[in-house]
Amino acid sequence: MEKKIIISTASDIEQIAHEIGLFKMEKRIIKVHMNQFSETENRQLEQEIVKRYATGGQQLDNKIGLFTLAAYVVLMVTGVIPVLKLGFINSVLLYILFTIVLLLGIRLYRLWHAKRSLRQLARGLQVAPAF
């Protein structure tokens, strides 16, 4: 069951940013109800928060697999990864390790970016004249 969150202050946005984690990220229904904004502005802010929150939890695209394969083949062709010295089995194992490290790196970047952008949004709302 998805948890519903009603955002009424900038600190609520900070709390959402804090809850984003590498291995845990709940699906949430986010609603914004800030008294100082109109209904249209609340809806726009809600869409912005949802977009930034979703950045951290996006599933990896199918294109990532093709990218890792292409990058690995380029490394093999250029001789950075000596396939003949390693052998076929070790090359496959190295490819698997390469893919896992790359996917983890992408995931960490997305989490960092989502947290940072939500915190910037919250800070922007705190210094807004309406607050």
Side-chain angles (χ1 to χ4, degrees):
M1 186 168 171
E2 294 179 354
K3 188 175 180 182
K4 185 175 183 177
I5 294 182
I6 297 174
I7 296 174
S8 57
T9 64
S11 62
D12 293 340
I13 299 171
E14 289 272 351
Q15 181 62 32
I16 290 173
H18 180 70
E19 292 174 2
I20 296 174
L22 182 60
F23 298 110
K24 68 169 187 93
M25 189 168 170
E26 295 181 36
K27 288 189 176 186
R28 300 191 180 269
I29 298 171
I30 298 173
K31 296 292 178 189
V32 176
H33 182 68
M34 294 189 173
N35 294 331
Q36 65 270 25
F37 296 133
S38 69
E39 188 62 34
T40 305
E41 291 171 328
N42 276 329
R43 231 178 303 122
Q44 289 173 345
L45 182 59
E46 180 181 310
Q47 290 172 351
E48 188 65 28
I49 291 170
V50 167
K51 183 179 84 173
R52 292 177 188 209
Y53 182 78
T55 301
Q58 283 180 345
Q59 298 302 318
L60 298 175
D61 303 325
N62 294 336
K63 296 173 188 168
I64 299 294
L66 289 174
F67 173 75
T68 58
L69 181 61
Y72 193 76
V73 168
V74 167
L75 290 175
M76 287 185 344
V77 169
T78 59
V80 174
I81 298 173
V83 179
L84 296 176
K85 288 182 182 178
L86 289 175
F88 179 74
I89 300 295
N90 288 337
S91 295
V92 171
L93 292 175
L94 186 60
Y95 170 70
I96 292 169
L97 179 65
F98 176 76
T99 302
I100 290 171
V101 168
L102 186 66
L103 293 176
L104 183 61
I106 290 169
R107 177 76 174 156
L108 287 172
Y109 172 76
R110 284 182 172 174
L111 290 172
W112 170 79
H113 181 67
K115 284 183 172 198
R116 187 189 68 156
S117 67
L118 282 170
R119 287 184 179 130
Q120 285 177 343
L121 180 64
R123 274 186 247 121
L125 288 175
Q126 287 173 345
V127 297
F131 262 41

